[in-house]
Amino acid sequence: QVQLVESGGGFVEPGGSLTLSCTASGVTTDDYAIGWFRQKPGSIQVGVGCFSHSDGSIHVESMAKGRFTMDTTNDKKTVHLRMNALSPEDTAVYYCAAQFVHKSCLSYGTGWDDYIKVWAQGALVNVSS
């Protein structure tokens, strides 16, 4: 059974940095991608980007481009979302999810999160002074 555990959320001042980690267990293949999403208070969940173990592609949505990056550990069990230059607008609960259908980030867009069935528990990122 595939499970994802997220860690690294917390409080940070504007302009600061924070790294979220998404660790997978029970996965027996490298043919999948990790998607990152966030949900601000009172808003719907939106995509932040994805990291593909399948083909190595990475996609970062425009609101995070140039500030957020993603990488993985050598054993491919953990994907990091590294967030820099954070602003109060980035305050949200962040979720990672395992995508076994749309395995490449090259096709990232509307509907990329379809068929996702494995989600982490979420991590609160609070950017405030």
Side-chain angles (χ1 to χ4, degrees), residues 49-85:
C50 75
F51 182 98
S52 172
H53 289 300
S54 182
D55 64 7
S57 57
I58 299 173
H59 175 82
V60 179
E61 286 287 80
S62 58
M63 62 23 193
K65 195 157 288 185
R67 300 187 301 127
F68 293 9
T69 61
M70 283 169 269
D71 57 74
T72 187
T73 52
N74 287 339
D75 61 6
K76 298 186 179 181
K77 291 187 184 298
T78 299
V79 172
H80 301 297
L81 176 66
R82 303 186 189 275
M83 303 180 290
N84 300 304

PDB file of all heavy atoms in Angstrom, residues 49-85:
ATOM      1  N   GLY A  49       3.062  22.347  -8.740  1.00  0.00           N
ATOM      2  CA  GLY A  49       3.984  21.787  -9.701  1.00  0.00           C
ATOM      3  C   GLY A  49       4.120  20.297  -9.528  1.00  0.00           C
ATOM      4  O   GLY A  49       3.369  19.684  -8.776  1.00  0.00           O
ATOM      5  N   CYS A  50       5.067  19.713 -10.232  1.00  0.00           N
ATOM      6  CA  CYS A  50       5.281  18.273 -10.109  1.00  0.00           C
ATOM      7  C   CYS A  50       6.722  17.899 -10.394  1.00  0.00           C
ATOM      8  O   CYS A  50       7.463  18.652 -11.025  1.00  0.00           O
ATOM      9  CB  CYS A  50       4.337  17.497 -11.019  1.00  0.00           C
ATOM     10  SG  CYS A  50       4.759  17.527 -12.759  1.00  0.00           S
ATOM     11  N   PHE A  51       7.072  16.719  -9.898  1.00  0.00           N
ATOM     12  CA  PHE A  51       8.388  16.124 -10.124  1.00  0.00           C
ATOM     13  C   PHE A  51       8.146  14.707 -10.607  1.00  0.00           C
ATOM     14  O   PHE A  51       7.490  13.924  -9.918  1.00  0.00           O
ATOM     15  CB  PHE A  51       9.194  16.109  -8.827  1.00  0.00           C
ATOM     16  CG  PHE A  51      10.582  15.552  -8.984  1.00  0.00           C
ATOM     17  CD1 PHE A  51      11.659  16.396  -9.136  1.00  0.00           C
ATOM     18  CD2 PHE A  51      10.803  14.180  -8.992  1.00  0.00           C
ATOM     19  CE1 PHE A  51      12.946  15.892  -9.302  1.00  0.00           C
ATOM     20  CE2 PHE A  51      12.067  13.663  -9.154  1.00  0.00           C
ATOM     21  CZ  PHE A  51      13.144  14.522  -9.308  1.00  0.00           C
ATOM     22  N   SER A  52       8.686  14.367 -11.765  1.00  0.00           N
ATOM     23  CA  SER A  52       8.476  13.038 -12.319  1.00  0.00           C
ATOM     24  C   SER A  52       9.684  12.145 -12.066  1.00  0.00           C
ATOM     25  O   SER A  52      10.791  12.424 -12.535  1.00  0.00           O
ATOM     26  CB  SER A  52       8.216  13.115 -13.818  1.00  0.00           C
ATOM     27  OG  SER A  52       8.189  11.821 -14.379  1.00  0.00           O
ATOM     28  N   HIS A  53       9.463  11.043 -11.347  1.00  0.00           N
ATOM     29  CA  HIS A  53      10.510  10.010 -11.235  1.00  0.00           C
ATOM     30  C   HIS A  53      10.621   9.250 -12.549  1.00  0.00           C
ATOM     31  O   HIS A  53      11.653   8.676 -12.856  1.00  0.00           O
ATOM     32  CB  HIS A  53      10.154   9.035 -10.114  1.00  0.00           C
ATOM     33  CG  HIS A  53      10.282   9.608  -8.740  1.00  0.00           C
ATOM     34  ND1 HIS A  53      11.471  10.094  -8.231  1.00  0.00           N
ATOM     35  CD2 HIS A  53       9.371   9.766  -7.751  1.00  0.00           C
ATOM     36  CE1 HIS A  53      11.290  10.524  -6.996  1.00  0.00           C
ATOM     37  NE2 HIS A  53      10.016  10.336  -6.671  1.00  0.00           N
ATOM     38  N   SER A  54       9.565   9.254 -13.327  1.00  0.00           N
ATOM     39  CA  SER A  54       9.506   8.461 -14.553  1.00  0.00           C
ATOM     40  C   SER A  54      10.457   8.982 -15.620  1.00  0.00           C
ATOM     41  O   SER A  54      11.228   8.209 -16.201  1.00  0.00           O
ATOM     42  CB  SER A  54       8.078   8.453 -15.079  1.00  0.00           C
ATOM     43  OG  SER A  54       7.974   7.668 -16.236  1.00  0.00           O
ATOM     44  N   ASP A  55      10.399  10.294 -15.906  1.00  0.00           N
ATOM     45  CA  ASP A  55      11.272  10.839 -16.953  1.00  0.00           C
ATOM     46  C   ASP A  55      12.117  12.019 -16.496  1.00  0.00           C
ATOM     47  O   ASP A  55      12.800  12.642 -17.315  1.00  0.00           O
ATOM     48  CB  ASP A  55      10.441  11.234 -18.183  1.00  0.00           C
ATOM     49  CG  ASP A  55       9.451  12.351 -17.907  1.00  0.00           C
ATOM     50  OD1 ASP A  55       9.480  12.930 -16.790  1.00  0.00           O
ATOM     51  OD2 ASP A  55       8.641  12.648 -18.789  1.00  0.00           O
ATOM     52  N   GLY A  56      12.066  12.340 -15.201  1.00  0.00           N
ATOM     53  CA  GLY A  56      12.898  13.412 -14.668  1.00  0.00           C
ATOM     54  C   GLY A  56      12.376  14.809 -14.940  1.00  0.00           C
ATOM     55  O   GLY A  56      13.022  15.800 -14.586  1.00  0.00           O
ATOM     56  N   SER A  57      11.216  14.916 -15.561  1.00  0.00           N
ATOM     57  CA  SER A  57      10.697  16.250 -15.865  1.00  0.00           C
ATOM     58  C   SER A  57      10.184  16.919 -14.597  1.00  0.00           C
ATOM     59  O   SER A  57       9.751  16.264 -13.649  1.00  0.00           O
ATOM     60  CB  SER A  57       9.578  16.165 -16.906  1.00  0.00           C
ATOM     61  OG  SER A  57       8.536  15.321 -16.460  1.00  0.00           O
ATOM     62  N   ILE A  58      10.277  18.232 -14.618  1.00  0.00           N
ATOM     63  CA  ILE A  58       9.819  19.046 -13.490  1.00  0.00           C
ATOM     64  C   ILE A  58       8.984  20.193 -14.046  1.00  0.00           C
ATOM     65  O   ILE A  58       9.324  20.775 -15.086  1.00  0.00           O
ATOM     66  CB  ILE A  58      11.005  19.618 -12.691  1.00  0.00           C
ATOM     67  CG1 ILE A  58      11.867  18.496 -12.116  1.00  0.00           C
ATOM     68  CG2 ILE A  58      10.512  20.528 -11.560  1.00  0.00           C
ATOM     69  CD1 ILE A  58      13.156  18.982 -11.463  1.00  0.00           C
ATOM     70  N   HIS A  59       7.919  20.497 -13.383  1.00  0.00           N
ATOM     71  CA  HIS A  59       7.108  21.646 -13.759  1.00  0.00           C
ATOM     72  C   HIS A  59       6.793  22.456 -12.512  1.00  0.00           C
ATOM     73  O   HIS A  59       6.424  21.907 -11.483  1.00  0.00           O
ATOM     74  CB  HIS A  59       5.801  21.209 -14.429  1.00  0.00           C
ATOM     75  CG  HIS A  59       4.890  22.362 -14.725  1.00  0.00           C
ATOM     76  ND1 HIS A  59       5.039  23.157 -15.846  1.00  0.00           N
ATOM     77  CD2 HIS A  59       3.863  22.885 -14.023  1.00  0.00           C
ATOM     78  CE1 HIS A  59       4.121  24.106 -15.827  1.00  0.00           C
ATOM     79  NE2 HIS A  59       3.383  23.961 -14.737  1.00  0.00           N
ATOM     80  N   VAL A  60       6.938  23.772 -12.630  1.00  0.00           N
ATOM     81  CA  VAL A  60       6.572  24.685 -11.552  1.00  0.00           C
ATOM     82  C   VAL A  60       5.573  25.686 -12.112  1.00  0.00           C
ATOM     83  O   VAL A  60       5.820  26.294 -13.158  1.00  0.00           O
ATOM     84  CB  VAL A  60       7.805  25.420 -10.989  1.00  0.00           C
ATOM     85  CG1 VAL A  60       7.390  26.389  -9.883  1.00  0.00           C
ATOM     86  CG2 VAL A  60       8.825  24.428 -10.455  1.00  0.00           C
ATOM     87  N   GLU A  61       4.467  25.842 -11.454  1.00  0.00           N
ATOM     88  CA  GLU A  61       3.435  26.778 -11.901  1.00  0.00           C
ATOM     89  C   GLU A  61       3.952  28.213 -11.831  1.00  0.00           C
ATOM     90  O   GLU A  61       4.867  28.539 -11.076  1.00  0.00           O
ATOM     91  CB  GLU A  61       2.173  26.631 -11.067  1.00  0.00           C
ATOM     92  CG  GLU A  61       1.375  25.375 -11.403  1.00  0.00           C
ATOM     93  CD  GLU A  61       0.656  25.484 -12.728  1.00  0.00           C
ATOM     94  OE1 GLU A  61       1.322  25.277 -13.769  1.00  0.00           O
ATOM     95  OE2 GLU A  61      -0.567  25.764 -12.738  1.00  0.00           O
ATOM     96  N   SER A  62       3.334  29.087 -12.622  1.00  0.00           N
ATOM     97  CA  SER A  62       3.831  30.449 -12.781  1.00  0.00           C
ATOM     98  C   SER A  62       3.899  31.218 -11.463  1.00  0.00           C
ATOM     99  O   SER A  62       4.801  32.029 -11.268  1.00  0.00           O
ATOM    100  CB  SER A  62       2.957  31.206 -13.777  1.00  0.00           C
ATOM    101  OG  SER A  62       1.607  31.219 -13.351  1.00  0.00           O
ATOM    102  N   MET A  63       2.974  30.951 -10.550  1.00  0.00           N
ATOM    103  CA  MET A  63       2.994  31.715  -9.303  1.00  0.00           C
ATOM    104  C   MET A  63       4.189  31.373  -8.421  1.00  0.00           C
ATOM    105  O   MET A  63       4.500  32.063  -7.462  1.00  0.00           O
ATOM    106  CB  MET A  63       1.688  31.555  -8.524  1.00  0.00           C
ATOM    107  CG  MET A  63       1.226  30.283  -8.019  1.00  0.00           C
ATOM    108  SD  MET A  63       1.955  28.787  -7.604  1.00  0.00           S
ATOM    109  CE  MET A  63       0.398  27.855  -7.486  1.00  0.00           C
ATOM    110  N   ALA A  64       4.874  30.282  -8.753  1.00  0.00           N
ATOM    111  CA  ALA A  64       6.016  29.851  -7.949  1.00  0.00           C
ATOM    112  C   ALA A  64       7.306  29.797  -8.753  1.00  0.00           C
ATOM    113  O   ALA A  64       8.378  29.559  -8.181  1.00  0.00           O
ATOM    114  CB  ALA A  64       5.740  28.484  -7.338  1.00  0.00           C
ATOM    115  N   LYS A  65       7.214  30.029 -10.035  1.00  0.00           N
ATOM    116  CA  LYS A  65       8.397  29.906 -10.891  1.00  0.00           C
ATOM    117  C   LYS A  65       9.461  30.921 -10.483  1.00  0.00           C
ATOM    118  O   LYS A  65       9.185  32.090 -10.249  1.00  0.00           O
ATOM    119  CB  LYS A  65       8.000  30.104 -12.351  1.00  0.00           C
ATOM    120  CG  LYS A  65       9.036  29.661 -13.354  1.00  0.00           C
ATOM    121  CD  LYS A  65       8.420  29.356 -14.704  1.00  0.00           C
ATOM    122  CE  LYS A  65       7.627  28.086 -14.686  1.00  0.00           C
ATOM    123  NZ  LYS A  65       7.112  27.694 -16.019  1.00  0.00           N
ATOM    124  N   GLY A  66      10.691  30.421 -10.395  1.00  0.00           N
ATOM    125  CA  GLY A  66      11.790  31.268  -9.979  1.00  0.00           C
ATOM    126  C   GLY A  66      11.974  31.327  -8.476  1.00  0.00           C
ATOM    127  O   GLY A  66      12.979  31.844  -7.987  1.00  0.00           O
ATOM    128  N   ARG A  67      10.988  30.817  -7.731  1.00  0.00           N
ATOM    129  CA  ARG A  67      11.076  30.834  -6.269  1.00  0.00           C
ATOM    130  C   ARG A  67      11.058  29.421  -5.684  1.00  0.00           C
ATOM    131  O   ARG A  67      11.696  29.172  -4.665  1.00  0.00           O
ATOM    132  CB  ARG A  67       9.900  31.627  -5.676  1.00  0.00           C
ATOM    133  CG  ARG A  67       9.832  33.070  -6.127  1.00  0.00           C
ATOM    134  CD  ARG A  67       8.743  33.826  -5.363  1.00  0.00           C
ATOM    135  NE  ARG A  67       7.426  33.228  -5.544  1.00  0.00           N
ATOM    136  CZ  ARG A  67       6.628  32.866  -4.550  1.00  0.00           C
ATOM    137  NH1 ARG A  67       7.007  33.023  -3.289  1.00  0.00           N
ATOM    138  NH2 ARG A  67       5.426  32.329  -4.795  1.00  0.00           N
ATOM    139  N   PHE A  68      10.314  28.525  -6.289  1.00  0.00           N
ATOM    140  CA  PHE A  68      10.175  27.156  -5.781  1.00  0.00           C
ATOM    141  C   PHE A  68      10.943  26.210  -6.694  1.00  0.00           C
ATOM    142  O   PHE A  68      10.900  26.333  -7.925  1.00  0.00           O
ATOM    143  CB  PHE A  68       8.712  26.714  -5.753  1.00  0.00           C
ATOM    144  CG  PHE A  68       7.825  27.433  -4.768  1.00  0.00           C
ATOM    145  CD1 PHE A  68       8.256  28.552  -4.068  1.00  0.00           C
ATOM    146  CD2 PHE A  68       6.539  26.987  -4.544  1.00  0.00           C
ATOM    147  CE1 PHE A  68       7.444  29.206  -3.168  1.00  0.00           C
ATOM    148  CE2 PHE A  68       5.693  27.629  -3.638  1.00  0.00           C
ATOM    149  CZ  PHE A  68       6.162  28.746  -2.958  1.00  0.00           C
ATOM    150  N   THR A  69      11.630  25.261  -6.103  1.00  0.00           N
ATOM    151  CA  THR A  69      12.297  24.216  -6.866  1.00  0.00           C
ATOM    152  C   THR A  69      11.978  22.866  -6.237  1.00  0.00           C
ATOM    153  O   THR A  69      11.525  22.803  -5.080  1.00  0.00           O
ATOM    154  CB  THR A  69      13.819  24.419  -6.904  1.00  0.00           C
ATOM    155  OG1 THR A  69      14.326  24.363  -5.551  1.00  0.00           O
ATOM    156  CG2 THR A  69      14.194  25.744  -7.531  1.00  0.00           C
ATOM    157  N   MET A  70      12.224  21.815  -7.010  1.00  0.00           N
ATOM    158  CA  MET A  70      11.982  20.468  -6.520  1.00  0.00           C
ATOM    159  C   MET A  70      13.177  19.580  -6.840  1.00  0.00           C
ATOM    160  O   MET A  70      13.827  19.746  -7.877  1.00  0.00           O
ATOM    161  CB  MET A  70      10.729  19.871  -7.172  1.00  0.00           C
ATOM    162  CG  MET A  70       9.435  20.405  -6.601  1.00  0.00           C
ATOM    163  SD  MET A  70       8.009  19.934  -7.602  1.00  0.00           S
ATOM    164  CE  MET A  70       7.944  21.341  -8.710  1.00  0.00           C
ATOM    165  N   ASP A  71      13.453  18.633  -5.943  1.00  0.00           N
ATOM    166  CA  ASP A  71      14.497  17.648  -6.195  1.00  0.00           C
ATOM    167  C   ASP A  71      14.164  16.396  -5.397  1.00  0.00           C
ATOM    168  O   ASP A  71      13.213  16.370  -4.619  1.00  0.00           O
ATOM    169  CB  ASP A  71      15.882  18.205  -5.817  1.00  0.00           C
ATOM    170  CG  ASP A  71      15.952  18.654  -4.363  1.00  0.00           C
ATOM    171  OD1 ASP A  71      16.008  17.769  -3.477  1.00  0.00           O
ATOM    172  OD2 ASP A  71      15.941  19.868  -4.115  1.00  0.00           O
ATOM    173  N   THR A  72      14.952  15.361  -5.611  1.00  0.00           N
ATOM    174  CA  THR A  72      14.681  14.109  -4.926  1.00  0.00           C
ATOM    175  C   THR A  72      15.958  13.559  -4.323  1.00  0.00           C
ATOM    176  O   THR A  72      17.063  13.938  -4.719  1.00  0.00           O
ATOM    177  CB  THR A  72      14.064  13.083  -5.901  1.00  0.00           C
ATOM    178  OG1 THR A  72      13.648  11.922  -5.168  1.00  0.00           O
ATOM    179  CG2 THR A  72      15.073  12.653  -6.964  1.00  0.00           C
ATOM    180  N   THR A  73      15.807  12.678  -3.376  1.00  0.00           N
ATOM    181  CA  THR A  73      16.948  12.009  -2.778  1.00  0.00           C
ATOM    182  C   THR A  73      17.445  10.901  -3.697  1.00  0.00           C
ATOM    183  O   THR A  73      16.753  10.492  -4.626  1.00  0.00           O
ATOM    184  CB  THR A  73      16.555  11.417  -1.417  1.00  0.00           C
ATOM    185  OG1 THR A  73      15.362  10.616  -1.579  1.00  0.00           O
ATOM    186  CG2 THR A  73      16.261  12.526  -0.414  1.00  0.00           C
ATOM    187  N   ASN A  74      18.667  10.417  -3.447  1.00  0.00           N
ATOM    188  CA  ASN A  74      19.254   9.384  -4.300  1.00  0.00           C
ATOM    189  C   ASN A  74      18.393   8.121  -4.357  1.00  0.00           C
ATOM    190  O   ASN A  74      18.321   7.459  -5.386  1.00  0.00           O
ATOM    191  CB  ASN A  74      20.660   9.030  -3.806  1.00  0.00           C
ATOM    192  CG  ASN A  74      21.659  10.123  -4.111  1.00  0.00           C
ATOM    193  OD1 ASN A  74      21.444  10.952  -5.005  1.00  0.00           O
ATOM    194  ND2 ASN A  74      22.755  10.141  -3.375  1.00  0.00           N
ATOM    195  N   ASP A  75      17.743   7.791  -3.261  1.00  0.00           N
ATOM    196  CA  ASP A  75      16.927   6.579  -3.257  1.00  0.00           C
ATOM    197  C   ASP A  75      15.529   6.829  -3.830  1.00  0.00           C
ATOM    198  O   ASP A  75      14.712   5.908  -3.897  1.00  0.00           O
ATOM    199  CB  ASP A  75      16.829   5.994  -1.845  1.00  0.00           C
ATOM    200  CG  ASP A  75      16.169   6.946  -0.843  1.00  0.00           C
ATOM    201  OD1 ASP A  75      15.683   8.005  -1.249  1.00  0.00           O
ATOM    202  OD2 ASP A  75      16.158   6.605   0.359  1.00  0.00           O
ATOM    203  N   LYS A  76      15.249   8.056  -4.227  1.00  0.00           N
ATOM    204  CA  LYS A  76      13.981   8.454  -4.853  1.00  0.00           C
ATOM    205  C   LYS A  76      12.777   8.282  -3.940  1.00  0.00           C
ATOM    206  O   LYS A  76      11.634   8.332  -4.402  1.00  0.00           O
ATOM    207  CB  LYS A  76      13.751   7.691  -6.163  1.00  0.00           C
ATOM    208  CG  LYS A  76      14.819   7.955  -7.215  1.00  0.00           C
ATOM    209  CD  LYS A  76      14.469   7.284  -8.525  1.00  0.00           C
ATOM    210  CE  LYS A  76      15.527   7.571  -9.575  1.00  0.00           C
ATOM    211  NZ  LYS A  76      15.202   6.953 -10.879  1.00  0.00           N
ATOM    212  N   LYS A  77      13.009   8.124  -2.655  1.00  0.00           N
ATOM    213  CA  LYS A  77      11.874   7.941  -1.760  1.00  0.00           C
ATOM    214  C   LYS A  77      11.294   9.274  -1.287  1.00  0.00           C
ATOM    215  O   LYS A  77      10.139   9.342  -0.847  1.00  0.00           O
ATOM    216  CB  LYS A  77      12.289   7.095  -0.549  1.00  0.00           C
ATOM    217  CG  LYS A  77      12.592   5.648  -0.890  1.00  0.00           C
ATOM    218  CD  LYS A  77      12.822   4.816   0.344  1.00  0.00           C
ATOM    219  CE  LYS A  77      13.216   3.387   0.000  1.00  0.00           C
ATOM    220  NZ  LYS A  77      12.151   2.712  -0.753  1.00  0.00           N
ATOM    221  N   THR A  78      12.096  10.332  -1.355  1.00  0.00           N
ATOM    222  CA  THR A  78      11.657  11.634  -0.859  1.00  0.00           C
ATOM    223  C   THR A  78      11.811  12.691  -1.945  1.00  0.00           C
ATOM    224  O   THR A  78      12.843  12.746  -2.616  1.00  0.00           O
ATOM    225  CB  THR A  78      12.454  12.053   0.385  1.00  0.00           C
ATOM    226  OG1 THR A  78      12.237  11.090   1.430  1.00  0.00           O
ATOM    227  CG2 THR A  78      12.017  13.420   0.886  1.00  0.00           C
ATOM    228  N   VAL A  79      10.794  13.500  -2.108  1.00  0.00           N
ATOM    229  CA  VAL A  79      10.852  14.656  -3.003  1.00  0.00           C
ATOM    230  C   VAL A  79      10.736  15.906  -2.139  1.00  0.00           C
ATOM    231  O   VAL A  79       9.864  15.990  -1.268  1.00  0.00           O
ATOM    232  CB  VAL A  79       9.729  14.612  -4.050  1.00  0.00           C
ATOM    233  CG1 VAL A  79       9.682  15.914  -4.858  1.00  0.00           C
ATOM    234  CG2 VAL A  79       9.906  13.424  -4.983  1.00  0.00           C
ATOM    235  N   HIS A  80      11.620  16.854  -2.392  1.00  0.00           N
ATOM    236  CA  HIS A  80      11.605  18.097  -1.634  1.00  0.00           C
ATOM    237  C   HIS A  80      10.988  19.214  -2.467  1.00  0.00           C
ATOM    238  O   HIS A  80      11.243  19.331  -3.663  1.00  0.00           O
ATOM    239  CB  HIS A  80      13.031  18.522  -1.261  1.00  0.00           C
ATOM    240  CG  HIS A  80      13.768  17.525  -0.440  1.00  0.00           C
ATOM    241  ND1 HIS A  80      13.373  17.156   0.821  1.00  0.00           N
ATOM    242  CD2 HIS A  80      14.887  16.810  -0.711  1.00  0.00           C
ATOM    243  CE1 HIS A  80      14.219  16.272   1.312  1.00  0.00           C
ATOM    244  NE2 HIS A  80      15.147  16.033   0.392  1.00  0.00           N
ATOM    245  N   LEU A  81      10.193  20.025  -1.835  1.00  0.00           N
ATOM    246  CA  LEU A  81       9.712  21.273  -2.421  1.00  0.00           C
ATOM    247  C   LEU A  81      10.414  22.396  -1.666  1.00  0.00           C
ATOM    248  O   LEU A  81      10.136  22.637  -0.483  1.00  0.00           O
ATOM    249  CB  LEU A  81       8.195  21.402  -2.276  1.00  0.00           C
ATOM    250  CG  LEU A  81       7.602  22.737  -2.777  1.00  0.00           C
ATOM    251  CD1 LEU A  81       7.765  22.861  -4.290  1.00  0.00           C
ATOM    252  CD2 LEU A  81       6.113  22.843  -2.409  1.00  0.00           C
ATOM    253  N   ARG A  82      11.349  23.031  -2.348  1.00  0.00           N
ATOM    254  CA  ARG A  82      12.147  24.084  -1.719  1.00  0.00           C
ATOM    255  C   ARG A  82      11.555  25.430  -2.102  1.00  0.00           C
ATOM    256  O   ARG A  82      11.511  25.779  -3.284  1.00  0.00           O
ATOM    257  CB  ARG A  82      13.603  23.966  -2.144  1.00  0.00           C
ATOM    258  CG  ARG A  82      14.210  22.605  -1.814  1.00  0.00           C
ATOM    259  CD  ARG A  82      15.676  22.531  -2.100  1.00  0.00           C
ATOM    260  NE  ARG A  82      16.184  21.167  -1.973  1.00  0.00           N
ATOM    261  CZ  ARG A  82      16.583  20.591  -0.841  1.00  0.00           C
ATOM    262  NH1 ARG A  82      16.512  21.281   0.290  1.00  0.00           N
ATOM    263  NH2 ARG A  82      17.024  19.361  -0.830  1.00  0.00           N
ATOM    264  N   MET A  83      11.130  26.174  -1.103  1.00  0.00           N
ATOM    265  CA  MET A  83      10.409  27.423  -1.340  1.00  0.00           C
ATOM    266  C   MET A  83      11.230  28.591  -0.827  1.00  0.00           C
ATOM    267  O   MET A  83      11.622  28.625   0.337  1.00  0.00           O
ATOM    268  CB  MET A  83       9.051  27.368  -0.628  1.00  0.00           C
ATOM    269  CG  MET A  83       8.191  26.179  -1.053  1.00  0.00           C
ATOM    270  SD  MET A  83       6.597  26.104  -0.234  1.00  0.00           S
ATOM    271  CE  MET A  83       7.112  25.684   1.434  1.00  0.00           C
ATOM    272  N   ASN A  84      11.489  29.541  -1.719  1.00  0.00           N
ATOM    273  CA  ASN A  84      12.266  30.728  -1.370  1.00  0.00           C
ATOM    274  C   ASN A  84      11.434  31.983  -1.616  1.00  0.00           C
ATOM    275  O   ASN A  84      10.408  31.937  -2.304  1.00  0.00           O
ATOM    276  CB  ASN A  84      13.537  30.776  -2.224  1.00  0.00           C
ATOM    277  CG  ASN A  84      14.416  29.560  -2.024  1.00  0.00           C
ATOM    278  OD1 ASN A  84      14.824  29.247  -0.905  1.00  0.00           O
ATOM    279  ND2 ASN A  84      14.711  28.859  -3.110  1.00  0.00           N
ATOM    280  N   ALA A  85      11.908  33.075  -1.063  1.00  0.00           N
ATOM    281  CA  ALA A  85      11.238  34.366  -1.241  1.00  0.00           C
ATOM    282  C   ALA A  85       9.749  34.273  -0.945  1.00  0.00           C
ATOM    283  O   ALA A  85       8.916  34.756  -1.715  1.00  0.00           O
ATOM    284  CB  ALA A  85      11.480  34.895  -2.652  1.00  0.00           C
TER     285      ALA A  85
END
